Amino acid sequence: ILSLTLFSLNRKKMNLKSERRGIHVDQSELLCKKGCGYYGNPAWQGFCSKCWREEYHKARQKQIQEDWELAERLQREEEEAYASSQSTQGAQSLTFSKFEEKKTNEKTRKVTTVKKFFTASSRTGAKKAEIQEAKAPSPSINRQASIETDRVSKEFIEFLKTYHKPGQDIYKQCKLFLDTMNHKRDLSIEEQSECAQDFYQNVAEKLQTRWKVPPEKVEKAMDQIEKYIMTRQYKYVFCPETTDDEKKDLAVQKRIRALHWVTPQMLCVPVNEEIPEVSDMVVKAITDIIEMDSKRVPRDKLACITKCSKHIFNAIKITKNEPASADDFLPTLIYIVLKGNPPRLQSNIQYITRFCNPSRLMTGEDGYYFTNLCCAVAFIEKLDAQSLNLSQEDFDRFMTGQTSPKKQESDSFSPDVCLGVKQMYKNLDLLSQLNERQERIVNEAKKLEKDLIDWTDGITKEVQDIVEKYPLEIKPKNQALAAIDSENVENDKLPPPLQPQVYAG
């Protein structure tokens, strides 16, 4: 009996575990896989910002060493080929001239290769001009960007006035960094990101050590520095054409559109949108995650993610009447992303990863919520039938648009049907339900009217029967008696009045 009980318990645990497969993420999986205690990130291959930079530098130094060895080997091969050609110079002048041409070409290629190892990749001027001309923003966008840049610059200067002497040095450091970045436009986005991270780290160390700024003021200063720098650098480093960020955005957007049929029940989302307060929280969460794309500063984008997450926790709390857990939060975040389909999702994630102050991503609630968002996007990209507790046949039919979980018999939507059409069908369903309710109310009203008429007729018939059984006899009115003192005009045969009599005696 004991063995059967243990087997049953293990089986139940396995079933519960399989039901949560792909949605449940242990909290340890959100941390850096190197075990430093900070939050990791899929963009950093599971490392935190600090550990990722260490691993990146190791890999880069190894690559540089391999490139040097390759360059030296090419140099030796060239010298050997040149020495062997000198012995046959007199007899093979034509061959030597061809060799000289080949030697020159290989030398040029070698020098170009070595330069390529240690300098950023450059593009031809014509191609760059063509790309810039094709992606040049409209004058109105430029004016709007310049207005916002001027406003942020004035706010930054006013903020630094409270720091006195350190404020002047901070401003000089920021201006120097911006000038340096303007001369490094040809660097790869990873190298520009590394420059920004080094700048954040150096300024934070100077604030703490050289200028003796308190920790709470250091955090505020770093936020303002990030806002000032990234507002000016946004148009150059957000979704640059040298990366495949735009391609990833389109892939994620297409994937989310194909998953339009996923319901909250499939994701085990503990949110009841029939409750008005919960529905409002869901709408606010979707609005916040979409609004992230309109922000220019990484910290502001993180703030949108944090607000979205807090609305999700409130929606779960209202639905369950108890605080939400991490297991409830992640499926709901996935549902919000699927329902909102935020624009340029991968570009925003990459932009935050590359240029946000690393301390915000490694610790705190902003880092926790951002890590969960990255996990949600990774889950959506790898969503399969078993994750949704569906058979592979049903999953394939839903993905191809042959059927829909809500309308499997009559209405089937294709994956590229717009949200307006699906909302129209949803409204038609609601109207159909309202029509049925109205017909039911009308029928009940007619029945009530008939009952009232029948009751009135019944009462009338009973009254008539009683009147017929007991007829009412109305007697004539009695004539009024004449007053004693009145004259007897009508001679009503009254006795004559008494006469006085005299008695003798």
Side-chain angles (χ1 to χ4, degrees):
I1 296 175
L2 179 61
S3 61
L4 289 175
T5 305
L6 292 175
F7 175 76
S8 177
L9 290 174
N10 291 330
R11 186 173 183 181
K12 288 182 179 178
K13 290 181 180 179
M14 292 177 62
N15 291 335
L16 290 174
K17 189 174 181 180
S18 63
E19 289 179 0
R20 304 294 295 182
R21 197 193 80 83
I23 298 178
H24 173 72
V25 175
D26 193 84
Q27 295 302 299
S28 61
E29 298 178 14
L30 302 178
L31 300 177
C32 176
K33 65 181 183 181
K34 203 171 182 179
C36 64
Y38 295 114
Y39 289 120
N41 193 295
W44 296 325
Q45 299 180 4
F47 294 101
C48 67
S49 175
K50 182 179 178 181
C51 297
W52 166 248
R53 293 185 67 192
E54 293 176 356
E55 296 294 327
Y56 177 77
H57 282 300
K58 289 180 182 178
R60 190 176 181 185
Q61 292 297 329
K62 182 179 179 182
Q63 184 64 36
I64 291 175
Q65 183 65 28
E66 293 177 354
D67 294 342
W68 270 114
E69 294 176 357
L70 177 61
E72 290 177 355
R73 182 170 61 82
L74 292 174
Q75 181 68 24
R76 288 196 301 270
E77 291 178 356
E78 180 184 358
E79 291 175 354
E80 292 174 359
Y82 180 76
S84 62
S85 64
Q86 291 293 329
S87 60
T88 57
Q89 182 178 3
Q92 299 178 353
S93 58
L94 182 62
T95 305
F96 178 74
S97 62
K98 292 182 178 179
F99 174 76
E100 282 292 328
E101 182 180 358
K102 181 178 179 182
K103 172 178 170 293
T104 304
N105 294 335
E106 289 206 359
K107 186 176 181 180
T108 304
R109 181 177 59 81
K110 178 180 73 65
V111 173
T112 304
T113 303
V114 175
K115 287 182 178 180
K116 188 177 180 181
F117 290 152
F118 303 102
T119 60
S121 59
S122 61
R123 295 168 294 175
T124 60
K127 183 178 181 181
K128 187 175 180 180
E130 181 181 353
I131 293 175
Q132 290 180 351
E133 182 179 358
K135 293 186 174 263
S138 63
S140 62
I141 296 178
N142 284 333
R143 285 196 298 270
Q144 182 180 0
S146 62
I147 292 173
E148 185 174 357
T149 301
D150 294 339
R151 179 180 58 80
V152 171
S153 300
K154 292 178 181 178
E155 292 177 357
F156 185 59
I157 293 173
E158 291 296 326
F159 172 79
L160 291 179
K161 287 181 180 179
T162 60
Y163 284 72
H164 306 292
K165 183 62 172 63
Q168 297 177 4
D169 295 336
I170 292 173
Y171 186 74
K172 291 179 181 178
Q173 293 288 333
C174 293
K175 292 293 290 183
L176 180 61
F177 172 76
L178 290 174
D179 293 338
T180 303
M181 293 298 292
N182 289 332
H183 291 90
K184 292 183 178 182
R185 295 282 181 235
D186 292 334
L187 290 178
S188 65
I189 194 64
E190 286 77 14
E191 291 171 326
Q192 295 184 51
S193 171
E194 189 176 356
C195 292
Q197 299 296 331
D198 289 337
F199 175 74
Y200 290 147
Q201 184 176 357
N202 293 334
V203 173
E205 290 177 355
K206 289 181 180 179
L207 285 170
Q208 294 175 354
T209 58
R210 181 186 300 180
W211 298 317
K212 305 300 181 182
V213 178
E216 61 275 5
K217 296 190 71 175
V218 170
E219 185 177 356
K220 292 181 179 179
M222 294 305 300
D223 289 342
Q224 292 296 325
I225 290 170
E226 177 189 321
K227 182 178 181 180
Y228 173 69
I229 289 174
M230 297 317 302
T231 301
R232 301 177 70 93
Q233 294 290 313
Y234 178 77
K235 63 180 179 180
Y236 303 111
V237 297
F238 181 82
C239 191
E241 65 272 10
T242 56
T243 64
D244 58 349
D245 292 349
E246 186 175 1
K247 183 179 179 180
K248 292 180 180 178
D249 289 335
L250 296 175
V252 171
Q253 204 168 49
K254 183 179 179 181
R255 176 71 172 173
I256 293 176
R257 286 175 179 171
L259 294 169
H260 67 89
W261 47 269
V262 177
T263 62
Q265 293 75 21
M266 294 178 182
L267 295 171
C268 300
V269 175
V271 169
N272 184 9
E273 294 186 68
E274 298 295 330
I275 303 175
E277 294 182 49
V278 175
S279 179
D280 291 341
M281 291 296 175
V282 171
V283 171
K284 290 179 180 178
I286 294 174
T287 303
D288 290 332
I289 198 69
I290 292 176
E291 188 182 3
M292 175 180 61
D293 186 59
S294 64
K295 304 299 181 181
R296 304 182 72 180
V297 183
R299 180 172 61 90
D300 294 341
K301 293 181 181 290
L302 275 178
C304 291
I305 299 174
T306 301
K307 288 192 296 183
C308 169
S309 302
K310 289 183 177 180
H311 288 314
I312 290 174
F313 274 107
N314 289 334
I316 298 173
K317 183 178 180 181
I318 295 173
T319 302
K320 299 181 65 177
N321 290 325
E322 62 182 16
S325 64
D327 290 340
D328 296 330
F329 170 68
L330 183 58
T332 312
L333 179 61
I334 294 170
Y335 172 67
I336 293 297
V337 174
L338 288 175
K339 195 169 183 179
N341 197 359
R344 300 192 291 186
L345 183 56
Q346 282 288 4
S347 292
N348 283 288
I349 290 177
Q350 292 296 330
Y351 176 70
I352 294 172
T353 303
R354 292 164 181 160
F355 297 102
C356 184
N357 187 356
S359 62
R360 284 192 172 274
L361 299 183
M362 295 165 62
T363 57
E365 62 178 4
D366 289 341
Y368 174 75
Y369 294 139
F370 179 71
T371 304
N372 274 275
L373 177 62
C374 295
C375 292
V377 175
F379 175 83
I380 291 172
E381 292 176 340
K382 299 178 181 179
L383 192 69
D384 56 9
Q386 191 171 359
S387 301
L388 300 175
N389 298 320
L390 296 174
S391 64
Q392 190 62 43
E393 294 77 10
D394 290 341
F395 181 81
D396 293 338
R397 285 190 292 114
F398 296 156
M399 288 296 292
T400 55
Q402 296 177 2
T403 57
S404 174
K406 296 180 181 179
K407 303 176 181 297
Q408 297 186 15
E409 296 180 358
S410 57
D411 299 321
S412 60
F413 299 121
S414 60
D416 54 352
V417 171
C418 67
L419 294 176
V421 174
K422 290 186 285 186
Q423 186 65 37
M424 179 187 69
Y425 280 102
K426 183 178 180 180
N427 293 339
L428 289 175
D429 290 338
L430 292 176
L431 289 174
S432 177
Q433 296 176 9
L434 290 175
N435 187 30
E436 292 178 359
R437 292 176 59 187
Q438 185 179 4
E439 290 180 355
R440 187 165 59 251
I441 292 173
V442 170
N443 292 333
E444 293 293 334
K446 290 181 178 179
K447 182 180 178 183
L448 178 61
E449 182 182 9
K450 184 176 181 300
D451 291 341
L452 288 174
I453 294 173
D454 294 341
W455 178 79
T456 305
D457 294 341
I459 295 297
T460 304
K461 188 175 183 303
E462 289 181 4
V463 171
Q464 289 176 355
D465 293 342
I466 292 174
V467 170
E468 290 176 358
K469 186 174 181 181
Y470 305 100
L472 180 62
E473 295 181 0
I474 300 176
K475 297 181 178 181
K477 289 182 69 175
N478 295 328
Q479 293 181 355
L481 298 176
I484 298 177
D485 297 334
S486 64
E487 297 181 356
N488 190 8
V489 179
E490 297 179 357
N491 192 14
D492 52 357
K493 299 179 180 181
L494 290 176
L498 295 176
Q499 297 296 328
Q501 296 179 5
V502 177
Y503 292 95

